[in-house]
């Protein structure tokens, strides 16, 4: 590898380096201790240790080339190499291309400048094709060379970054280097002759967390396949941990979690992953989650500055975050003040002329925001003006729907983005929105159901209605101070009003605002109406489930006892299922949507559902509800931190998971009375999942004493259900006929009533210090655990099903499954758009989730088959794969794979022979010239005749042939259908079958006797065929040999063939073709004890399993990347 020229003092160089070659201008040196017997003694050990701990140009590779000029003590390092071949190639290039040119220069300085320029040019040329895009390319290239040298991974494995750290082996720290690549976590250390090399694939990581104890103040804990690994002494441990978290989650999503893999062009190509890219992606995800922005937004810039807060008359310090379509600000204390400014609302962006470095952003509604002390003010203003101009010209990016949306919808929302008008963009959007609303007003409700079924009557104001009006007044005062709409200031006062409960009349508006759904609807006018129209009349599994659940959605509410509410609910759910078929419809969506329709217009309810399913509760409503399981794991972690006494009392933490699942899926709507649950939904749209977690902790804390006295889970569940029944909302203006909590009066209840407002307020006071950043980190961390747990469940279910049909032990099946799955992943690590990953679908039945193709099966066949030593093993592998691939989709599952391995190791003589027989006949072409009764009669006659033959000819060994015949006869009765349908083996197939047997016997201690036995069997079968042919020929048909059972064909077959020959006298006379039935071959082989002993000889599968696991190690990985041989490829094409 060429290196950026650096000075090296000659006196220092000679201490640790030995001269190999030299000329007037260059020196080739070898590192002391490298390539010497015994490692170079103590000096070699010290040098090796130094190389491992330090990281400099002189210590990365064992060879290097220096540039020198005569009479100078200063040398320049220009190249290094991991082996002699590499460095020799560089040396030869220098002698052929550089040495001849240097003689024309007059001064040593000119020579040095020329050499340095030439080397830099070579590095720049190499850099065009290099994956190294880090801050210090030179050091990264050196680390990349060392990474490749130490671990021997394929070139496609992209090194993302590397860190110096300590790996704890027991209680002893080993200083070395941690390498993070796209598929592996790798560590290398060499200290005083002791080498440590560790490689962990990201898909095997089940736990990743920061830990600390008495010995390790702060470390990173990695758990993989039940083994714990600890790394410490990081310079920036938080940055390192964040990057490891990103890589682990990327691998998990790509390999295990197809439902949530977003097909991001960056993540879809592992070669495009960089350290900076992963860090930016993590920051963008947190940015989107915090401000509830569309998923398509990307955080582009962050500026620390001050924002003038007019109603408080002071500047608040915080961060301005800018994406393509939004300007967001949050004070240093996020609860103090935050604001979101969509560029579609911006009228002008101006900078002041004073020294305050200020920018003023004016929006509609005569409102302006003033940011001061902004760094890079000129550049920021220019960028914002360009972005604003794009939007005003109608070129802003349209809202991107999930990939699976029907393409017929695209013209609707994309046409909005490219339209241009003399009016402002928002005016244009409003006009189109009004037009679409008029078109769909006949079918889509334009009023919230609560306004239709429970209109407020100002003439009959009671105390609850008066309180409701006071709430409305409080919000109006807040709107006057902080603004109203998407760009309003959000302060601590806003949160306090949300905790008290949003007024009924403002609930839909504020839910849209706080959830970010208002942005989705504003940028996609007419989209919902189009989706409703497109989805009408569709019929699939989702629509069937929706129809089944429509009447179960808040059945006690009058709105859903009428066709108006049911129809609206049907349209929203069907439209969303059509929009996002990956989710489709999931139970609990109907309950949530029912509540949304009560307080929001139908179109608004649709966008609220989009916000919940796709942003606020990610992965909650897919088939495996991974998101809900992840948040339950986060909830358990918070319980351990905040309620340790409850954790100690409850031996099994899964209790909390089973109890809280409905809390998370329905936002407490399914367990709380509707009048109380809507207050929880208020807080959820403002604070996100943080509100649900806080409320869950508060509920457990409130019932702590009762739960500590419960003796079992059932008693604890009863206590919690009784608590929920007694949660009320004393300020709810809903009629008593609708309130679910009013069915039981206070007098009849022996339990204390709890007001939902007090409960929510208490949850904020006690657990409000839980930060968004901590929840995001806990979600990432627990996602690994949840998905690995689901994978373990899949494995156990597959093993339970397969174990019933094979003789392999559970432990052997477990190891076989791990090898099977590992081979599948090895082929996916470096393959872009791997077809195997496309077939992987976690929603499929367990057995169908992981399937391998022919190439992967060939590799596993070589590793595991006891017949893999055969010269035609590739052909055998292909034929076996074809036999197993019954549906011809070029994929086989684990059950099919394990069944053939089980036969090879544990099958009886008949089963093994039947397998070999099937491999040599065309799969799928079952020929049956005889009917069932004739075939069974022939089988019994053959058994009888075979027994007579064996009795007449004494056995050559001590094998009890009679026993085998009895077993075979029993199998004929049990598996009559299988043997009956086996086609006959023709001449060419039988020849290949014989060759296969010869190949299998090669190298066996009894090879000679086996060869003789197969020769005897072949000769016997040919004689039997000849007798059968004479028997069925027309000239000998009257000789009465009808009792012979060795016939190769039925009479009709021979007659037909002869008839055809007679009918076509011009056809040349051909040698008659012969064929054998499976029964004939089996009977003949049973007559040779040597053959029987060979196939009945027990073979232990454990050494093969160990060998397969070893062969899948990293030094052999490259063999899994070898292309399918041309001969095999041709056979596959056939």
């Amino acid at each position: 590898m060429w290196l950026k020229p650096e000075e090296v003092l000659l006196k220092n160089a000679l201490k640790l380096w030995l001269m190999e070659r030299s000329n007037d201008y260059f020196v080739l040196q070898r590192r002391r201790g490298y390539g010497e017997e015994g490692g170079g003694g103590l000096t070699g050990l010290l040098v090796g240790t130094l190389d491992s701990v330090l990281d400099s140009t002189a210590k990365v590779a064992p060879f290097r080339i220096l540039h020198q000029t005569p009479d100078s003590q200063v040398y320049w390092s220009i190249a290094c190499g991991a082996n002699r071949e590499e460095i020799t190639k560089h040396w030869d290039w220098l002698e052929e291309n550089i040495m001849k040119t240097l003689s024309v220069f007059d001064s040593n300085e000119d020579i040095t400048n020329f050499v340095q320029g030439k080397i830099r040019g070579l590095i720049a040329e190499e850099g065009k094709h290099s994956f190294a895009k880090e801050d210090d390319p030179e050091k990264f290239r050196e680390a990349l060379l060392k990474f490749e040298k130490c671990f021997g991974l394929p070139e496609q494995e992209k090194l993302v970054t590397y860190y110096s750290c300590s790996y704890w082996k027991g209680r002893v720290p080993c200083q070395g280097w941690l390498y993070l690549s796209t598929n592996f976590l790798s560590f290398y250390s060499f200290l005083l002759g002791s080498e440590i090399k560790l490689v962990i694939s990201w898909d095997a990581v089940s736990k990743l967390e920061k830990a600390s104890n008495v010995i390790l103040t702060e470390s990173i804990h990695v758990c993989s396949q039940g083994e714990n690994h600890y790394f410490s002494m990081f310079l920036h441990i938080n940055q390192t941990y964040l990057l490891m978290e990103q890589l682990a989650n990327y691998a998990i999503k790509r390999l295990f979690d197809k439902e949530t893999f977003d097909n991001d062009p960056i993540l879809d190509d592992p070669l495009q992953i960089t350290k900076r890219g992963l860090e930016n992606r993590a920051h963008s995800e947190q940015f989107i989650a915090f401000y509830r922005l569309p998923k398509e937004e990307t955080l582009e810039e962050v500026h620390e500055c001050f924002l003038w807060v007019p109603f408080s008359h002071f500047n608040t310090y915080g961060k301005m975050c800018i994406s393509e379509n939004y300007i967001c600000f949050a004070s240093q204390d996020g609860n103090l003040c935050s604001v979101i400014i969509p560029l579609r609302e911006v009228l002008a962006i101006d900078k002041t002329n004073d020294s305050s470095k200020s920018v003023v952003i004016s929006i509609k509604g005569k409102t302006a925001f003033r940011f001061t002390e902004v760094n890079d003010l000129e550049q920021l203003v220019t960028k914002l003006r360009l972005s604003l101009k794009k939007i005003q010209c109608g070129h802003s990016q349209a809202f991107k729907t999930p990939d699976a949306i029907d393409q017929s919808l695209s013209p609707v929302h994309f046409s909005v983005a490219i339209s241009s008008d003399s009016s402002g963009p928002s005016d244009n959007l409003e006009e189109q929105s009004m037009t679409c609303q008029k078109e769909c007003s006949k079918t889509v409700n334009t009023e919230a159901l609560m306004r239709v079924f429970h209109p407020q009557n100002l003439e009959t104001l009671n105390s609850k209605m008066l309180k409701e009006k006071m709430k409305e007044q409080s919000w109006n005062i807040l709107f006057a101070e902080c603004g109203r709409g998407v760009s309003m200031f959000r302060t601590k006062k806003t949160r306090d009003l949300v905790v008290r409960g949003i007024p009924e009349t403002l609930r839909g508006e504020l839910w849209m605002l706080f959830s970010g759904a208002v942005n989705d609807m504003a940028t996609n006018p007419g989209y919902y109406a189009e989706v409703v129209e497109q989805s009408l009349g569709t019929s699939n599994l989702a629509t069937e489930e929706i129809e089944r659940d429509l009447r179960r959605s808040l059945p006690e509410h009058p709105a859903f006892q009428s066709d108006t509410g049911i129809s609206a609910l049907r349209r929203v759910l069907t439209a969303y299922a059509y929009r996002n078929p990956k989710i489709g419809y999931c139970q609990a969506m109907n309950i949530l949507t029912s509540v949304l329709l009560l307080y929001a217009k139908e179109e608004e309810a649709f966008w609220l559902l989009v916000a919940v399913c796709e942003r606020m509760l990610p992965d909650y409503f897919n088939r495996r509800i991974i998101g809900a399981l992840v948040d339950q794991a986060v909830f358990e972690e918070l319980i351990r931190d905040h309620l340790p006494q409850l954790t100690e009392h409850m031996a099994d933490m899964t209790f909390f998971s089973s109890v809280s699942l409905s809390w998370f899926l329905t936002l407490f709507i399914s367990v709380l009375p509707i009048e109380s649950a809507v207050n929880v939904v208020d807080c959820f749209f403002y604070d996100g999942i943080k509100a649900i977690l806080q409320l869950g902790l508060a509920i457990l804390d409130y019932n702590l004493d009762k739960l500590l006295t419960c003796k079992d889970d059932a008693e604890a569940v009863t206590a919690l259900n009784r608590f929920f029944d007694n949660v009320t909302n004393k300020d709810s203006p809903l009629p008593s006929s609708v309130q679910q909590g009013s069915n039981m009066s206070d007098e009849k209840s022996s339990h204390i009533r709890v007001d939902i407002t007090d409960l929510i307020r208490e949850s904020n006071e006690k657990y409000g210090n839980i930060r968004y950043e901590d929840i995001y980190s806990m979600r990432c961390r627990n996602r690994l655990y949840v998905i690995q747990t689901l994978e373990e469940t899949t494995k156990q279910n597959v093993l339970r099903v397969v174990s019933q049909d094979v003789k392999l032990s559970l432990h052997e099946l477990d190891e076989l499954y791990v090898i099977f799955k590992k081979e599948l992943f090895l082929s996916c690590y470096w393959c872009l758009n791997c077809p195997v990953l496309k077939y992987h679908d976690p929603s499929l039945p367990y057995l169908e989730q992981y399937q391998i193709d022919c190439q992967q099966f060939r590799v596993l066949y070589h590793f595991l088959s006891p017949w893999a030593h055969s010269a035609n093993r590739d052909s055998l592998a292909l034929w076996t794969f074809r036999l197993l691939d019954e549906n011809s989709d070029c994929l086989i599952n684990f059950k099919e794979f394990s069944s053939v391995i089980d036969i090879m190791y544990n099958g009886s003589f008949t089963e093994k022979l039947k397998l070999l027989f099937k491999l040599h006949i065309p799969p799928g072409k079952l020929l049956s010239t005889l009917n069932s009764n004739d075939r069974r009669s022939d089988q019994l006659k053959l058994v009888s005749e075979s027994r007579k033959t064996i009795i007449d000819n004494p056995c050559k060994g001590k094998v009890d042939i009679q026993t085998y015949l009895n077993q075979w006869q029993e199998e004929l009765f049990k598996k009559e259908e299988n043997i009956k349908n086996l086609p006959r083996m023709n001449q060419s197939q039988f020849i290949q079958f014989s060759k296969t047997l010869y190949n299998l016997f090669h190298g066996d201690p009894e090879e000679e006797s086996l060869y003789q036995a197969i020769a005897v069997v072949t000769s016997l079968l040919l004689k039997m065929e000849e007798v059968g042919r004479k028997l069925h020929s027309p000239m000998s048909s009257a000789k009465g040999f009808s009792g012979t059972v060795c016939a190769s064909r039925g009479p009709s077959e021979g007659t037909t063939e002869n008839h055809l020959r007679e009918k076509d006298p011009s056809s040349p006379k051909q040698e008659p073709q012969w064929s054998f039935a499976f029964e004939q071959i089996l009977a003949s082989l049973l007559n040779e004890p040597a053959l029987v002993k060979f196939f009945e000889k027990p073979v232990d599968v454990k050494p093969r399993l160990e060998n397969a696991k070893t062969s899948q190690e990293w030094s052999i990985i490259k063999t899994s990347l070898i292309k399918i041989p041309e001969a095999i490829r041709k056979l596959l094409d056939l």
Side-chain angles (χ1 to χ4, degrees), residues 187 214 326 482 489 502 653 737 768 784 827 896 903 1018 1062 1075:
F187 178 82
V214 177
Y326 295 88
C482 303
F489 283 91
I502 298 176
M653 290 293 286
S737 59
L784 294 175
S827 63
E896 295 163 337
I903 291 175
T1018 305
E1062 293 171 3
S1075 63

Side-chain angles (χ1 to χ4, degrees), residues 33 53 117 144 185 245 331 461 529 597 685 737 770 847 908 942 968:
V53 175
L144 180 61
L185 177 156
E245 196 174 62
S331 59
L461 289 178
L597 284 168
F685 279 126
S737 59
I770 299 174
L847 285 173
S908 64
L942 181 58
W968 182 42

Side-chain angles (χ1 to χ4, degrees), residues 354-484:
D354 54 21
S355 60
S356 61
K357 299 181 182 178
S358 301
V359 58
V360 177
I361 300 176
S362 303
I363 66 171
K364 297 174 183 178
K366 300 180 180 180
T367 304
F369 298 90
R370 186 179 186 218
F371 298 91
T372 58
E373 299 300 327
V374 181
N375 293 327
D376 301 323
L377 180 64
E378 293 287 341
Q379 182 180 354
L380 174 63
V381 171
T382 302
K383 176 180 174 59
L384 290 177
R385 285 175 175 173
L386 286 174
S387 299
L388 180 60
K389 187 176 180 180
K390 279 185 181 181
I391 292 177
Q392 289 176 340
C393 293
H395 295 297
S396 63
Q397 183 180 7
F399 182 80
K400 297 178 182 177
T401 59
D403 297 335
I405 299 179
D406 192 292
Q407 294 300 316
S408 62
L409 301 182
S410 56
V412 177
H413 48 273
F414 279 100
S415 62
V416 177
I418 62 175
S419 63
S420 59
D421 201 312
S422 58
S423 61
S426 295
D427 295 336
N428 193 21
L429 295 178
E430 289 172 5
E431 290 176 7
Q432 295 189 32
S433 179
M434 290 298 295
T435 302
C436 293
Q437 286 179 10
K438 289 178 182 179
E439 293 175 354
C440 66
S441 61
K442 296 180 181 180
T443 56
V444 175
N445 291 343
T446 56
E447 289 291 335
L449 295 179
M450 193 63 74
R451 290 179 180 268
V452 176
F453 287 89
H454 303 292
Q456 292 186 5
N457 189 354
L458 300 179
E459 297 178 358
T460 58
L461 289 178
N462 53 28
S463 60
K464 292 185 178 181
M465 290 300 298
L466 288 173
K467 287 184 179 180
E468 188 75 3
K469 290 299 177 183
M470 292 174 62
K471 283 184 183 180
E472 290 181 22
Q473 186 62 28
S474 299
W475 278 96
N476 289 329
I477 294 172
L478 180 71
F479 292 149
E481 291 182 353
C482 303
R484 185 167 186 170

Side-chain angles (χ1 to χ4, degrees), residues 65 199 221 258 395 420 435 501 513 548 555 621 648 736 738 783 836 964 984 1030 1036 1068 1071 1078:
I65 296 176
V199 180
H221 172 212
K258 178 183 175 183
H395 295 297
S420 59
T435 302
L513 175 65
R548 186 176 62 247
F621 300 101
E648 294 173 3
S736 57
V738 175
R783 188 180 190 88
V836 178
Y964 286 107
R984 300 175 68 85
K1030 290 179 180 179
S1036 59
E1071 190 71 23
F1078 173 70

